[in-house]
């Protein structure tokens, strides 16, 4: 269930932000093994939406890693690095990185790529 990302470009004056600014995007990432039910995915998106509104982001897609291949993470990094308005990444907790390797390393990489701190949407289990 890997989410494909489609590029949407906002020109000045056509932004969804009422002030006319193009908002940075808050992308979401989750490991499918840890979000087994559709309700869990909805909870991830709802938590990310609340954070996006509070912190001045627009909510981007949820990238769900089906296995330990890293395809969803690769798509997320491509999306985040090609976003001219800026980006941040939200995860429910750092345990979602475990199937790919060390959570500390993935957090550092995402923060380096986006220039923003990793956003945690819920406490660690």
């Amino acid at each position: 269930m890997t989410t494909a990302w489609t590029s949407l470009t906002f020109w000045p004056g056509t932004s969804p932000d009422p002030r006319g600014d193009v908002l940075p995007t808050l992308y979401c990432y989750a490991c499918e093994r840890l979000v087994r039910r559709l309700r869990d995915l909805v909870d991830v998106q709802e938590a990310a939406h609340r954070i996006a509104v509070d912190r001045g982001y627009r909510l981007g897609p949820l990238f769900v890693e089906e296995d330990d291949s890293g395809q969803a993470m690769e798509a997320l990094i491509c999306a985040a690095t090609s976003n001219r308005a800026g980006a941040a990444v939200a995860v429910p907790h750092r345990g979602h990185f475990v199937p790919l390797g060390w959570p500390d390393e993935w957090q550092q990489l995402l923060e380096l790529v986006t220039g923003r701190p990793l956003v945690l949407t819920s406490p660690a289990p």
Side-chain angles (χ1 to χ4, degrees), residues 1 3 5 7 13 20 30 39 48 54-55 66-67 69 72 81-84 90 108 124-125:
M1 169 179 2
T3 302
W5 178 73
S7 174
R39 181 69 229 168
D54 289 345
R55 298 188 187 180
E66 293 178 343
D67 49 28
S69 69
T81 57
S82 65
N83 189 327
R84 291 184 183 190
Q108 290 171 3

Side-chain angles (χ1 to χ4, degrees), residues 23-43:
L23 297 174
T25 302
L26 182 63
Y27 295 99
C28 303
Y29 177 85
C31 172
E32 186 178 49
R33 287 183 233 159
L34 299 177
V35 285
R36 297 189 182 272
R37 300 174 303 142
L38 179 58
R39 181 69 229 168
D40 296 333
L41 289 172
V42 171
D43 290 345

